[in-house]
Amino acid sequence: MGVDIEKKAFGFDEPLDRSRLNTVKWEFERERLGDDGILSFGTADMDFRSPPKVLAALQGVVASGHLGYPHKSASYYDAIVGFYSRRFGWRIAPEWIRFDVGVYASMGALIDQLTVPGDEVIYQTPVHKVFREVVEYAGRVPVTVPLVQVSGQYQMDFTALRRAITDKTKMLLLCNPHNPVGRSWTHDELRQVSEICSERGVIVVSDEVYCGLIFPGKTFVPFGSVSPEASRNSITLFSASKSFNLTGLKHSIVITENPAFRAAFERALKKGDLQYGGSVFGQVASEVALRDCDDWSSELMKYVAENLVYLKEFVSASMPLVTVNSPEATYLAWLDFSNYKISPEQLQSLMEQEARVILTHGYTMGEGGSGHVRLNLATQRVVLESGLRRIAQALQAWQHNSRTSVVNPDN
């Protein structure tokens, strides 16, 4: 009963009034395809109102009547330190913290400062396409080490990781929790990554933007918390954006114990004069979210977990050829359509033109992604139900047409 009351209070089941919205996830996709009836499960935003305490704080900023350069007071740093200590048992120092406009912006800046053109940067696929792009745009050499599946669970291939490291390898981009497969890497897995990279002089840059989105009963381990060695040899990239639905506010956090890494990052900020000020809205929202919104976060992940259960039950009953991964974190489901023997381009066309749903297609995420799609579960149940019915109907029609064309090849 208590959970239901909280859910109602936070409005997770209440559709947003889209007449006042203009988002990449929905309005852009409808404009792109010329279809106002499209249902979107693609872009990693939530279809929920942001936490009430955050909205109230932002209204307070507006009411103050002044939107100048913000100063980061002790309470800002206390909120970040408290979040990591309370949620994950990782004790960080305020002086380890820097800020930026986004996780990928920080990733590119660190690549620019801590490597040189021609250096190799490793990442583990399938993973968001920006991992490859940010390396290539910097003039560095992307090196992929695909994840492997063991008994249906994605795992790191440590033998392949060791083999992939050469004298030119200077950095590993870690995704923890992993987008799109939803793994929250264990302490032992991260320890092995740390030991391999430390031995070979490879810096670890850990994208931990989804760390606040952990499924009930699961845990998250920050890479920097694994050991003193891991802390010294890594930079953690984080933002409240994904965990608290604040992606439009452009505020992120960089954490590293290593003073040389902090100095390198500060040099990168100064190149674009980004070290000064920042977004007053992003700063205030992040502070309030990390300090005051554990209750909202907990109820959110219960709702997402229930959506995952519904998804699995629907797929089992109506799309038995599809396999659904079991994420430990994020609000993203990873679906395998490989058994349909349909090309990635055909699958995307079928989803967008026939089912009229937007998904993130795995072929963009490197080796291991083809034949898969990423589906965003952070939406109202009624939207999820409607989208899954559309997908099932489109697949049934495609199978029927495929059988018909085989029986009547001249038609």
Side-chain angles (χ1 to χ4, degrees):
M1 177 67 73
V3 170
D4 291 337
I5 290 173
E6 288 297 326
K7 286 179 184 174
K8 187 174 182 180
F10 291 131
F12 296 134
D13 259 332
E14 300 172 12
L16 296 173
D17 178 5
R18 304 216 69 87
S19 67
R20 303 178 63 183
L21 295 175
N22 191 13
T23 66
V24 170
K25 183 179 180 183
W26 285 87
E27 284 69 31
F28 165 76
E29 296 290 2
R30 289 178 165 181
E31 182 178 302
R32 177 175 70 88
L33 295 173
D35 184 351
D36 288 340
I38 284 286
L39 297 178
S40 185
F41 303 92
T43 300
D45 273 343
M46 303 181 203
D47 295 339
F48 309 132
R49 291 175 62 84
S50 300
K53 291 177 183 177
V54 170
L55 297 178
L58 294 177
Q59 290 164 359
V61 172
V62 173
S64 74
H66 189 272
L67 303 178
Y69 294 120
H71 167 65
K72 292 171 179 59
S73 64
S75 64
Y76 170 83
Y77 294 97
D78 288 346
I80 299 168
V81 171
F83 174 80
Y84 275 97
S85 176
R86 185 177 68 251
R87 299 278 290 265
F88 315 122
W90 187 27
R91 297 191 179 277
I92 63 174
E95 58 266 27
W96 298 3
I97 300 169
R98 297 295 183 270
F99 63 92
D100 202 353
V101 297
V103 165
Y104 290 138
S106 300
M107 188 180 288
L110 289 164
I111 291 172
D112 179 68
Q113 291 295 316
L114 295 173
T115 67
V116 299
D119 280 349
E120 297 171 346
V121 179
I122 291 177
Y123 56 92
Q124 296 160 311
T125 61
V127 73
H128 195 287
K129 65 186 182 69
V130 174
F131 277 63
R132 180 192 73 252
E133 292 173 347
V134 73
V135 175
E136 290 179 338
Y137 292 156
R140 278 56 168 178
V141 180
V143 177
T144 62
V145 178
L147 302 174
V148 295
Q149 288 196 68
V150 179
S151 300
Q153 183 189 56
Y154 281 92
Q155 297 184 9
M156 297 186 191
D157 187 337
F158 295 107
T159 300
L161 176 59
R162 289 188 179 90
R163 202 163 44 229
I165 296 174
T166 72
D167 291 341
K168 292 184 177 181
T169 307
K170 303 303 179 185
M171 184 175 288
L172 180 143
L173 304 179
L174 179 69
C175 194
N176 179 39
H178 193 91
N179 169 18
V181 308
R183 278 300 316 277
S184 181
W185 304 113
T186 66
H187 187 281
D188 183 62
E189 288 169 317
L190 297 175
R191 177 190 56 77
Q192 291 186 68
V193 172
S194 175
E195 291 175 354
I196 292 169
C197 290
S198 294
E199 288 170 5
R200 301 295 297 274
V202 176
I203 300 166
V204 177
V205 176
S206 188
D207 171 3
E208 301 186 359
V209 73
Y210 287 99
C211 72
L213 299 165
I214 309 302
F215 278 86
K218 304 299 181 180
T219 58
F220 169 74
V221 180
F223 182 84
S225 72
V226 168
S227 67
E229 187 177 57
S231 181
R232 289 190 297 268
N233 190 48
S234 69
I235 305 105
T236 296
L237 307 183
F238 173 63
S239 171
S241 59
K242 298 298 184 184
S243 297
F244 298 95
N245 206 31
L246 308 174
T247 54
L249 296 184
K250 309 305 289 183
H251 184 83
S252 65
I253 295 162
V254 176
I255 304 170
T256 180
E257 178 186 2
N258 191 314
F261 295 165
R262 290 200 299 272
F265 182 69
E266 288 164 359
R267 288 195 300 271
L269 289 180
K270 290 177 181 177
K271 288 179 67 174
D273 196 35
L274 293 173
Q275 81 284 1
Y276 191 78
S279 165
V280 61
F281 292 109
Q283 179 177 313
V284 168
S286 296
E287 179 177 333
V288 172
L290 298 179
R291 184 183 60 228
D292 300 331
C293 296
D294 285 357
D295 55 348
W296 184 90
S297 183
S298 176
E299 296 307 320
L300 164 74
M301 289 313 295
K302 290 176 184 176
Y303 190 89
V304 171
E306 290 171 4
N307 274 353
L308 177 64
V309 170
Y310 177 83
L311 168 69
K312 288 187 170 185
E313 290 175 348
F314 184 96
V315 167
S316 177
S318 302
M319 296 183 283
L321 294 181
V322 175
T323 301
V324 182
N325 194 39
S326 294
E328 299 158 338
T330 80
Y331 46 67
L332 307 169
W334 185 237
L335 283 67
D336 185 356
F337 284 77
S338 301
N339 287 330
Y340 283 92
K341 309 300 181 184
I342 182 173
S343 73
E345 295 77 15
Q346 287 177 314
L347 180 61
Q348 183 166 353
S349 178
L350 181 70
M351 293 297 106
E352 294 185 359
Q353 302 299 325
E354 303 302 327
R356 300 168 62 221
V357 299
I358 300 297
L359 302 162
T360 302
H361 289 266
Y363 70 87
T364 67
M365 300 187 180
E367 186 172 346
S370 184
H372 296 70
V373 302
R374 192 190 75 178
L375 185 148
N376 189 333
L377 292 165
T379 192
Q380 290 75 30
R381 175 67 59 79
V382 65
V383 177
L384 179 62
E385 291 172 353
S386 180
L388 292 176
R389 284 196 298 268
R390 290 187 185 188
I391 293 172
Q393 290 166 3
L395 285 172
Q396 290 166 6
W398 179 81
Q399 286 181 301
H400 174 76
N401 292 336
S402 297
R403 287 193 295 267
T404 300
S405 65
V406 170
V407 173
N408 302 296
D410 295 330
N411 290 348

